[in-house]
Amino acid sequence: MFEDNFNANAWKRLINFCMPVSEITPVEIIPDNKRTYDKCLNVLKAFFTKGVGRRSPLKGFLFEGVPGTGKTELVRQIARGVIDIKPSSRFKTTDDKEAYQIAMGKRKMDSYNKGPERFFLFIDGATIATPKWGDAESILQAVFSFHNFLEEGGSKYGKIADPRVIVLFDDIESLMLARTSEIAKEWHYSINAVLFHELDRVDASKTFVFATTNKPELVDDALRDRLYSIKFKPPKRESLLEIAKRLLWDAGVSERMQVEILKAVEEKLKEKKLPTIRDMEREVIVQCVERKAW
Ligand SMILES: Nc1ncnc2c1ncn2[C@@H]1O[C@H](COP(=O)(O)OP(=O)(O)OP(=O)(O)O)[C@@H](O)[C@H]1O
Ligand SMILES: [Mg+2]
């Protein structure tokens, strides 16, 4: 059936960039990003469970801020946050729910509650880039109909009763450029047109969109109209050192060595005005190498 569909190849390509949210590795949210995490997760849950998103002109969130501030990781953690949403909204009455359970078998219901019906789809420039002109547009279209692909059983996950898809367009400026940008080419115009069209049509109660960028000046205003924008600042130094502590602990570095390394990392980060998580991670590794921590 999927062989006939013009989207078939595009969907098959996308399946490599998709995972059930239950497979996302959990990471502790730093205090600096906790408010954004709560806000986005509440909205996402409302869209997915209360049908709020069905007609919403707003289709998701745009995270903007300097590189290494945790934008991509936070989207992954928010997506993971819907692991436990209840399917209650799908049933108007208790009878409906029972009928569903009988029809699908108890196991199906249990597996629903573990969250395999919620998927995270990661899209960046490399996912969309294809050697053939025109393919990029069809892959982009397939992102927005991926929900149907899962529902109809085209993927390796079999038929999914009521899938929800969280799409992340990571570093969206590598995919689309503002039409006002001097470097925007014909290719970008065509991608923009497809993206805006699909975003307008998408049912955000089933497919919810996140985008990240560290070059906000290259993001088209039409995208900002459709996504709620949140600005990221580099985290506080205490937060960076907290993550550093966890990294060293997870890496099995001895406690004595941890203290030494943390002190050195703190000193090094003082050389930077606004150090990012990536700056800290890099320094932790450098210190571990130099001090032969392993
Ligand atoms: N809460 C966290 N705890 C531990 N590590 C984190 C956390 N958030 C982010 N990181 C790590 O910090 C690094 C930078 O995070 P991330 O890639 O999300 O930043 P970004 O803002 O998306 O950067 P860019 O704009 O360059 O894409 C990554 O290695 C990520 O795994
Ligand atoms: Mg990123």
Side-chain angles (χ1 to χ4, degrees), residues 27-30 33 65-74 170-171 212-214 243 246-247 277-278 281:
V27 166
E28 202 166 315
I29 312 296
I30 53 171
N33 291 343
V66 290
T69 46
K71 302 180 293 295
T72 301
E73 187 57 59
L74 197 67
D170 202 35
D171 295 329
T212 66
T213 184
N214 53 39
I243 306 177
R246 252 183 277 137
L247 286 177
I277 309 178
R278 199 166 284 133
E281 280 182 326

Side-chain angles (χ1 to χ4, degrees), residues 54-124:
R54 223 165 283 146
R55 284 164 195 275
S56 165
L58 207 85
K59 308 297 184 174
F61 290 98
L62 169 68
F63 288 176
E64 32 184 310
V66 290
T69 46
K71 302 180 293 295
T72 301
E73 187 57 59
L74 197 67
V75 176
R76 287 162 45 79
Q77 297 308 315
I78 294 165
R80 194 175 186 281
V82 297
I83 203 166
D84 61 351
I85 56 170
K86 297 277 183 293
S88 55
S89 65
R90 294 161 55 213
F91 311 106
K92 289 190 193 73
T93 65
T94 316
D95 285 353
D96 286 351
K97 190 169 176 177
E98 274 172 21
Y100 178 84
Q101 278 177 315
I102 292 163
M104 305 302 283
K106 182 83 171 67
R107 252 188 61 232
K108 180 71 197 167
M109 200 61 202
D110 288 347
S111 77
Y112 190 99
N113 287 326
K114 290 203 195 82
E117 277 86 355
R118 279 136 268 175
F119 288 85
F120 177 61
L121 184 54
F122 179 90
I123 308 291
D124 65 3

